[in-house]
């Protein structure tokens, strides 16, 4: 594996086209913090399968278009090479493309929206990185902010309509998940879909491809993703969250990202770090439920905002925590130092 | 008094248990900016009396549990000793505990919530302090953010229900307070309860205990608390605020904190400072009314957010105001420098 | 022209009263980034005409009162002389005065509100400048924040009532603008009113006076204002925005400010800058539509928040963009350096 990647790397250096392909694949990999083209390729397979299985192939196309537009925008803006080639200007773009095509109806203006959103996500990435560099990376905040504005605006534009947007109706009574030994399979389903929902997909096969993509790059990342999903589903169940949200993975995708970020990317591993990451993961479930409620009047989805909020809160104290030093090769460094 | 405190201090140094008790009492005192265990003890008496009188003893218990959990969490996170012993990692925790037990129905999950919220409030305290240290302290922002997320999430959790949470219904017509010489006593009541509502209590005896707790540590703080409450009630009355909000002290507790903070803690006293603090106090009443309206769709209380917002706005210009230098021994220094 | 201004400048230096008049005129000019008393005088004429034509002379009076109160507050707070004399402590104040008198019914408390808002806007200006100085100026954020709080609070105060405030009702179906060669005049109207709405006016004559005020100070600013308005109206039309919003200039005033700011004030001119400013202008239309929706539950207007948000996002990357260095004499420098 390492040899293949080394060969690929030397090929990429020799060809502008391959370098650009490599940059886009790494951009997809960076959605789950993996600066690795093979991870990106497996994640792309997960997206393609999930979109095909859901009968919405335009979603995968929008994602690919968006990551390309993002990286072209970054080139036009003369960003530094190292973070660009690590995919750091692509991961927000692909998420913008996937989210817009998931929540909006197909049509010519959708593609205008995807291109506009992908380009703006790069500006927001540069802006956010400048603000947060003293303590961490931009995470998926550029994706969240850009997509929220674009989705909110559709309610004022007759040319763009939502198909999957939540309604702004008042919160009503819901059906909490009932514990039942026979239904443990449902909880397991919730764990799996918590992973695929990171890419807005509800597909078990996509989840397996994503776990494979994590594992080829970092076994620890795959383990924290799975552990985070289990912890999130159990926490949501303990507090009596809505059954459909738990089993659909909709309360677990942000905690999965929190667990990977705090457990494997930003801090050196230790039991203290595991406990700290677990506390953050549990609180991300709270934040997800809270934002679901808070965004109801606006009829937009929370996206990965709970992950961004909680991970920022738990990253900020870092410089004060004596024994929790940053790892030498963390993904965040290129962002902060770029 | 000073001798008693000096004796207590030497006792605290000699014993880990007494030091921890001292830290927790100072944490309660820091809710109103007093780094003083006797203030904390009197504030605790005010909380205990207010909870007992309202028939909700669990509120006081939740507050005590929360401040202990907060300080244990701070120890686990290896925070610096000086701010820890000054109670700076406890005051947000006790407010989280009091608020959760005030707004949510009793039950096993309430206690899980109190422990989780108290622990997270320490992380948010460290995070906020890192962001705001160029211009001031974290104030009660960690309490506000943590409690808002926990309360919002209850609308998505069947295991936790609100008893005292405001409803999300549309704002309707209300009954403004009518000026009437015979009802001056009502305005006086509003002044007193504005002080006790800092700890979420509507009790005149609690208010007197709180004033006593302030006075043993700082007569100026007690005077600014009372002056701030009077100014807030008069301002709310001038603009025609709702009668029940004025007489219940619900528009005055944030201005009381603003008055203490700007008048006695962060700046050297002078008539300019008094005028500046008065402007901030009046604007805190506006901010309180504004946030009450803005939070209606989310059905959560404003807590002390108006105090935090306005005090931050009025602290930020400090470094530009020539003649308004910070006091030598301000409470904020340990936070900012920690 | 230059000679007149030079004469005026030497007169201003010699007389405290003329200096104060000059400061207030420059404050009005700074609403559209012009540190020029003649621009301010022409803008004032635009305000006066727009208020007179709309039958609301109190709006112009509130604006003048507010800019005076703002500058007196700044003097009282001992701000530095250079930014004060450049009008940087007045432009938020006049907007607060205009907005309060536009959206609230006349009455004694309106004038209390105008004075309070104008004074607080200076504190918020100092606070915001301290936070954002690493990357740019405060823009009109102090106006937006102060006015939002004051307007929100009116829903809790019986003494202040709105006349022109939007209602908090649920967003409903609307009539998008229908393209039609015969109605091109309507689009042209939208372009013109996009300029006058910067000062909350719907008047073509006011728009011409504003363009004249820009042109006497900077032809580039006038050109970018007009170009920004055209681009905004076309973008809004492309996405199918509501007819009345387009033709009334209500989707164009924030983009006009974005275009002037990014095109002429903060960056050196080049085609790259024009393209970058155009992208920002288009995205400001999206942000305007988004904030219109997001603020519906709160029944307050977006004011210039879309301009502030997008301009900050597009300014923040500056230090990373190799070939886009700041101009030598940009308006922002005095703010940041003050």
């Amino acid at each position: 594996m390492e040899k293949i990647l080394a060969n690929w790397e030397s090929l990429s250096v020799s060809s502008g086209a391959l370098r650009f392909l490599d940059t886009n694949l790494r951009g997809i990999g960076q959605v789950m913090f993996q600066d690795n083209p093979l991870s990106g390729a497996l994640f792309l397979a997960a997206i393609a399968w999930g979109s095909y299985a859901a009968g919405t192939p335009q979603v995968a196309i929008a994602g690919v278009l968006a990551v390309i537009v993002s990286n072209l925008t970054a080139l036009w803006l003369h960003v530094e090479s190292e973070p660009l080639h690590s995919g750091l200007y692509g991961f927000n773009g692909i998420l913008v493309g996937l989210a817009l095509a998931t929540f909006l109806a197909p049509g010519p203006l959708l593609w205008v929206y995807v291109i506009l959103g992908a380009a703006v996500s790069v500006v927001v990435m540069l802006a956010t990185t400048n603000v947060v560099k003293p303590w961490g990376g931009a995470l998926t905040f550029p994706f969240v902010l850009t997509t929220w504005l674009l989705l909110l605006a559709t309610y004022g534009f007759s040319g763009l309509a939502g198909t999957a947007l939540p309604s702004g109706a008042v919160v009503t009574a819901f059906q909490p998940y009932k514990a039942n030994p026979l239904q443990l399979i449902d909880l397991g389903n919730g764990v799996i879909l918590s992973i695929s929902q990171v890419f807005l997909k509800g597909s078990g096969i996509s989840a397996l491809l994503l776990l494979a993509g994590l594992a080829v790059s970092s076994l620890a990342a795959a383990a924290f993703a799975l552990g985070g999903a289990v912890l999130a589903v159990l926490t949501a169940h303990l507090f009596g969250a809505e059954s459909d949200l738990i089993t659909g993975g909709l309360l677990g995708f942000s905690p999965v990202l929190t667990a990977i970020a705090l457990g494997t990317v930003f801090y050196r591993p230790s039991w203290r770090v595991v406990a700290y990451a677990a506390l953050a993961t549990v609180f991300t479930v709270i934040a997800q439920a809270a934002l679901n409620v808070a965004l109801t009047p606006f009829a937009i989805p929370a996206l990965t905002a709970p992950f961004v909020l909680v991970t920022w809160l738990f990253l900020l104290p870092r410089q004060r925590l004596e024994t929790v030093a940053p790892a030498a090769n963390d993904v965040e460094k290129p962002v902060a130092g770029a």
Side-chain angles (χ1 to χ4, degrees), chain A:
Chain A
M1 187 82 76
E2 308 240 326
K3 203 172 144 200
I4 297 172
L5 282 174
N7 283 344
W8 170 257
E9 180 60 23
S10 54
L11 270 172
S12 296
V13 170
S14 65
S15 150
L18 283 183
R19 168 57 88 194
F20 191 68
L21 173 61
D22 179 71
T23 297
N24 283 297
L25 289 175
R26 286 176 197 266
I28 302 174
Q30 286 284 13
V31 171
M32 291 175 108
F33 301 98
Q34 304 310 314
D35 181 6
N36 186 311
L38 185 53
S39 299
L42 284 161
F43 293 178
L44 182 57
I47 294 165
W49 172 261
S51 301
Y52 171 78
T56 54
Q58 78 275 13
V59 173
I61 297 166
V64 171
L65 172 64
V67 71
I68 293 170
V69 169
S70 289
N71 281 318
L72 291 175
T73 306
L75 280 169
W76 180 65
L77 291 173
H78 298 309
V79 302
E80 291 186 28
S81 300
E82 197 196 326
L84 175 71
H85 293 153
S86 296
L88 291 177
Y89 295 107
F91 70 92
N92 281 290
I94 188 170
L95 288 172
V96 169
L98 294 175
L100 291 177
T102 298
F103 293 113
L104 299 178
L109 283 177
L110 171 61
W111 301 102
V112 176
Y113 239 47
V114 168
I115 292 168
L116 181 63
V120 169
S121 78
V122 177
V123 175
V124 181
M125 177 69 181
L126 286 161
T128 309
T129 304
N130 269 1
V131 171
V132 307
K133 70 183 153 193
W135 76 77
L139 304 177
T140 52
F141 178 77
F143 152 58
V144 171
L145 180 63
T146 307
T147 308
W148 275 354
L149 290 171
L150 287 164
L151 290 180
L152 277 171
T154 61
Y155 296 109
F157 292 151
S158 61
L160 287 147
T163 55
L165 281 173
S167 94
V170 177
V171 181
T172 51
F174 60 83
Q175 188 59 42
Y177 181 79
K178 298 289 185 202
N180 184 326
L182 290 176
Q183 298 176 318
L184 263 182
I185 190 77
D186 289 341
L187 284 188
N189 209 35
V191 169
I192 293 298
L193 297 192
S194 291
I195 292 166
S196 68
Q197 287 290 359
V198 169
F199 285 91
L200 300 97
K201 301 290 163 214
S203 155
I205 290 173
S206 293
L208 294 178
L209 285 165
L210 292 173
L211 281 173
L214 285 172
V216 296
S217 172
S218 160
L219 281 175
F224 270 95
L226 204 55
V230 170
L231 187 55
V233 163
L234 292 178
T235 303
H237 178 44
L238 168 73
F239 286 123
E242 189 168 1
S243 180
D244 286 353
L245 294 180
I246 297 178
T247 57
L250 293 169
L251 293 172
F253 62 92
S254 268
V256 161
L257 288 170
T258 302
I260 302 176
L262 287 165
T264 74
V265 176
F266 293 101
Y267 289 102
R268 276 211 201 85
S270 78
W271 283 111
R272 273 169 60 83
V273 165
V274 171
Y276 193 68
L279 179 62
T281 303
V282 167
F283 198 66
T284 305
V285 178
I286 304 280
Q288 179 80 50
L291 279 174
N292 285 351
V293 171
L295 292 174
T296 302
F298 311 107
I300 51 172
L303 305 174
T304 51
F307 150 64
V308 174
L309 174 64
V310 175
T311 302
W312 275 350
L313 288 174
F314 276 73
L315 281 175
L316 262 162
R318 177 164 51 168
Q319 56 214 78
R320 297 179 171 239
L321 300 182
E322 292 162 14
T323 59
V324 192
N329 60 345
D330 56 339
V331 160
E332 173 205 6
K333 233 180 40 190
V335 184

